[in-house]
Amino acid sequence: MQAGISQALPVSESDLCVLLSNALENALHAAVRCREAGQGAFIETIGHEKGKKLFLQITNSCLPDVQFREGVPVTDRTGHGLGVRSICAISERYGGLTSFAAKDGQFTLRVML
């Protein structure tokens, strides 16, 4: 993990915790699935500020079965999918931007708040 952020962030501590915990939990589940499939697994987290904006990027290993609907990852697994919706809701609350991408066994979440 690499982070260069100040104590006075443009987002509440509780929203930042919800965002990070959901993103990292999703990354962990994907990395575990990769490991169980006999593949390498990793999670990389980067955070920094520029001006009054907070940028977060979480990249992790993933299997090629990631499905998207309207640019957002979706799942049909019971009890899953709420984390992504929470991430998007927090980003919208702060007028931020969120992007999700999966390519070549690597999933990337980018958030700007």
Side-chain angles (χ1 to χ4, degrees), residues 14-24 56 87 90 111 113:
S14 60
D15 282 341
L16 183 58
C17 286
V18 169
L19 191 151
L20 285 172
S21 64
N22 280 301
L24 290 171
L56 299 170
I87 292 167
I90 290 168
V111 180
L113 302 171

Side-chain angles (χ1 to χ4, degrees), residues 4-11 47-55 112-113:
I5 57 177
S6 65
Q7 289 183 335
L9 296 173
V11 58
H48 69 275
E49 285 180 281
K50 186 172 184 179
K52 294 186 178 187
K53 298 290 185 184
L54 174 63
F55 297 87
M112 181 195 70
L113 302 171

